[in-house]
Amino acid sequence: MSRSSSFTAVVADEKTVAHDAASTRSHALAPITSKAEANIMPETADEPAEEDLEQGTKDQAPSKPSMTDPSQFPDGGWEACLVVLGSFCAVFCSFGWINCTFYTLPIAPEAFADKNCYTGIGVFQDYYQTTLLSAYSPSTVSWIPALETFMMFLGGPVFGKLYDNYGPRYLLLFGTFFHVFGLMMASLSTEYYQFILAQGICSPLGASAVFYPAMSSVATWFFRNRALAFGVMASGSSLGGVIFPIMVQKLIPEIGFPWAMRSAAFLILGMLAIANLTIKSRIPPNPRPFKFMDFIRPLSELPFVLIVAASFLFFLGIFLPFNFIILQAGQVGMSANLASYLLAILNAASIFGRTIPGFLADRFGRFNVMIFMSYFSGIVVLALWLPAKANAPVIVFAALYGFGSGAFVSMAPALIAQISDIRQIGTRTGTMFSIISVAALVGNPIGGALLSNEDGKFQNLQIFCGVFLLAGSTVFVAARWSLVGFKLKIKI
């Protein structure tokens, strides 16, 4: 064989290898129709670009796909399902416990004449105001549950970065200890500053250290079914929001406040033991030095900024029905006994609202479903809750709003994951939640102020809630536009 014919054969073989490799990659990613459906994963120093085939030999094996390649996500299987189970338990104990502070006890209509009652009176706020902290004003006592929510979200950037660097294991252990320790210390507290330190700071910081690695770990196992996986995980907070308030409310008269808190802490310890045994990341940790710009850099991306802005606006209104619906129902004539079931209805409906829209989002586009459910939540506030003057519309509103608002809690992290490098998911979701923690902190006091200024009339509060939900929904539309424009038939 001549040298010319030999060279031609080698070139032909190399072209065949290149064509086969390209075909394999194309086949693996065929269902992904646009870059908006895939993670944005730039090449990094530890994952070099594909070698030039002309420099290789004809018998060189194709390089193994990266673990961040969308085709490599299991999207199911025993290990992935165990991670979802553990994350469900973690969210039950973290976000579900925080929901307990927003649970409103039934208050008789005659109490509405007292303006001090125009706040969302949670299980602990009611108990502290009437017993251990009776010398303090309701607004002062309300800083305990307000701090719980704020600290829960504020830890996001730090715990997210630690997750990206070292994985979930040590964070889960740290969070389990401090969450349980804080509640145990709260059971021994008698002074205001002790409750602030134990229940307002220590416990929610532990809950935060549990919540973020659980959420981020799920994202590493699912790509095509990610929104559904997030929905199943997030439904744990709805179930916790039903169980914990009833548990604490029933146990305090039976065994006293200290042992009621300890009982809740022991339940949390058992659930978090499952979380510690089952939650793990599929992506190996990649330790890198802490840089402040790691938290600021995502804010230079327009889609990320718009998602965070939309979530911030949505968070200003999302908790107002949870806090005030029982008070409003009593004002329109609902009995205290019937009103006590409203939040159970709302939280139960949100279980379906966190799973069914997630299933649909993986098939029709996460941004598409998020926009629909967000507008739905705002519309039912203005069209159903605002004019409600009888029992039936209030009950229907509780069910519909629970379903609609539940979708936001589960799908907001899925939107961030969709536009992010999965290796930075902890830092980016933590940055988002830390920003919207400000909205969670001020939203309910604003609602209470609107209620007080109108002598107990809920109209301004309801309008404020509905308008900000619709404003957040509109910014979600802008986030979708920043990715694909105004093309309506694209799955994104």
Side-chain angles (χ1 to χ4, degrees):
M1 182 181 296
S2 67
R3 294 177 60 185
S4 175
S5 60
S6 176
F7 176 79
T8 303
V10 170
V11 172
D13 286 344
E14 290 172 347
K15 290 182 177 180
T16 301
V17 172
H19 180 269
D20 290 344
S23 299
T24 301
R25 291 192 299 271
S26 176
H27 176 72
L29 302 177
I32 301 174
T33 57
S34 72
K35 70 176 183 179
E37 292 187 53
N39 295 81
I40 302 172
M41 293 175 287
E43 295 169 350
T44 59
D46 55 334
E47 291 189 13
E50 189 176 354
E51 294 183 3
D52 191 341
L53 287 174
E54 292 185 5
Q55 297 178 0
T57 60
K58 66 178 180 179
D59 58 347
Q60 182 179 3
S63 60
K64 184 179 179 180
S66 167
M67 296 184 73
T68 59
D69 191 309
S71 65
Q72 300 303 304
F73 285 73
D75 271 302
W78 180 248
E79 283 186 292
C81 290
L82 282 178
V83 173
V84 173
L85 171 64
S87 299
F88 175 93
C89 294
V91 175
F92 176 94
C93 298
S94 54
F95 218 132
W97 174 258
I98 298 301
N99 280 348
C100 185
T101 66
F102 287 119
Y103 194 93
T104 308
L105 291 172
I107 300 175
E110 58 264 27
F112 295 166
D114 181 3
K115 293 185 179 181
N116 288 333
C117 292
Y118 292 158
T119 58
I121 302 178
V123 171
F124 298 109
Q125 171 122 3
D126 179 69
Y127 178 78
Y128 294 155
Q129 281 182 208
T130 57
T131 56
L132 298 171
L133 303 178
S134 57
Y136 295 87
S137 68
S139 61
T140 301
V141 175
S142 68
W143 278 103
I144 298 173
L147 266 177
E148 284 193 75
T149 306
F150 181 66
M151 298 302 295
M152 168 81 180
F153 291 131
L154 186 65
V158 174
F159 294 134
K161 181 64 175 178
L162 287 172
Y163 168 84
D164 291 336
N165 280 1
Y166 305 107
R169 180 64 53 231
Y170 298 112
L171 279 174
L172 289 171
L173 290 172
F174 171 89
T176 299
F177 174 80
F178 279 96
H179 192 12
V180 174
F181 178 76
L183 296 181
M184 291 293 187
M185 291 300 99
S187 73
L188 302 175
S189 300
T190 56
E191 301 291 337
Y192 178 73
Y193 78 91
Q194 295 172 340
F195 285 107
I196 288 289
L197 292 174
Q199 191 174 351
I201 297 177
C202 179
S203 171
L205 276 179
S208 181
V210 167
F211 173 69
Y212 289 104
M215 177 179 59
S216 300
S217 295
V218 169
T220 67
W221 291 89
F222 294 87
F223 182 78
R224 302 186 192 284
N225 297 320
R226 183 176 288 160
L228 176 59
F230 272 127
V232 174
M233 175 198 71
S235 66
S237 66
S238 298
L239 187 60
V242 173
I243 292 177
F244 278 123
I246 297 174
M247 175 182 175
V248 174
Q249 185 182 356
K250 298 296 183 184
L251 286 180
I252 287 177
E254 296 291 331
I255 61 177
F257 172 78
W259 274 106
M261 291 293 285
R262 292 165 198 155
S263 299
F266 281 125
L267 173 60
I268 288 173
L269 180 61
M271 296 288 282
L272 289 182
I274 298 175
N276 276 271
L277 292 173
T278 56
I279 294 176
K280 59 182 179 180
S281 174
R282 190 181 61 87
I283 308 297
N286 184 21
R288 294 180 179 178
F290 271 79
K291 296 180 181 178
F292 182 71
M293 287 304 299
D294 289 341
F295 308 108
I296 303 299
R297 193 173 294 111
L299 299 176
S300 65
E301 303 169 16
L302 181 59
F304 184 89
V305 170
L306 290 174
I307 291 174
V308 172
S311 301
F312 185 93
L313 294 172
F314 209 82
F315 244 65
L316 283 172
I318 190 172
F319 288 121
L320 293 178
F322 287 83
N323 278 328
F324 295 99
I325 188 171
I326 289 182
L327 294 174
Q328 189 266 344
Q331 193 178 74
V332 300
M334 184 178 292
S335 68
N337 182 55
L338 180 57
S340 66
Y341 291 98
L342 286 176
L343 279 174
I345 293 171
L346 201 154
N347 277 305
S350 71
I351 295 176
F352 299 99
R354 298 182 187 195
T355 51
I356 295 175
F359 174 81
L360 296 175
D362 289 325
R363 280 130 189 93
F364 300 103
R366 292 156 197 158
F367 279 86
N368 298 339
V369 174
M370 179 64 139
I371 290 169
F372 177 84
M373 297 305 297
S374 299
Y375 272 117
F376 175 81
S377 300
I379 289 171
V380 296
V381 168
L382 297 177
L384 193 56
W385 194 31
L386 178 60
K389 302 298 180 185
N391 290 355
V394 174
I395 294 172
V396 173
F397 166 76
L400 293 179
Y401 184 78
F403 182 82
S405 62
F408 170 82
V409 176
S410 63
M411 291 185 60
L415 298 186
I416 294 296
Q418 182 166 327
I419 64 169
S420 302
D421 182 345
I422 200 66
R423 294 162 295 188
Q424 301 172 2
I425 187 65
T427 302
R428 294 168 72 89
T429 54
T431 298
M432 180 193 74
F433 277 109
S434 67
I435 293 173
I436 66 177
S437 68
V438 178
L441 182 67
V442 304
N444 289 303
I446 292 174
L450 290 172
L451 190 59
S452 298
N453 291 338
E454 291 298 316
D455 296 324
K457 296 179 181 179
F458 285 82
Q459 181 177 351
N460 286 350
L461 181 148
Q462 292 164 324
I463 293 174
F464 174 87
C465 175
V467 167
F468 273 93
L469 293 180
L470 293 178
S473 306
T474 304
V475 181
F476 277 126
V477 174
R480 185 186 187 277
W481 167 82
S482 70
L483 292 170
V484 296
F486 289 109
K487 300 174 183 177
L488 299 179
K489 296 184 179 181
I490 291 181
K491 172 187 173 183
I492 178 172

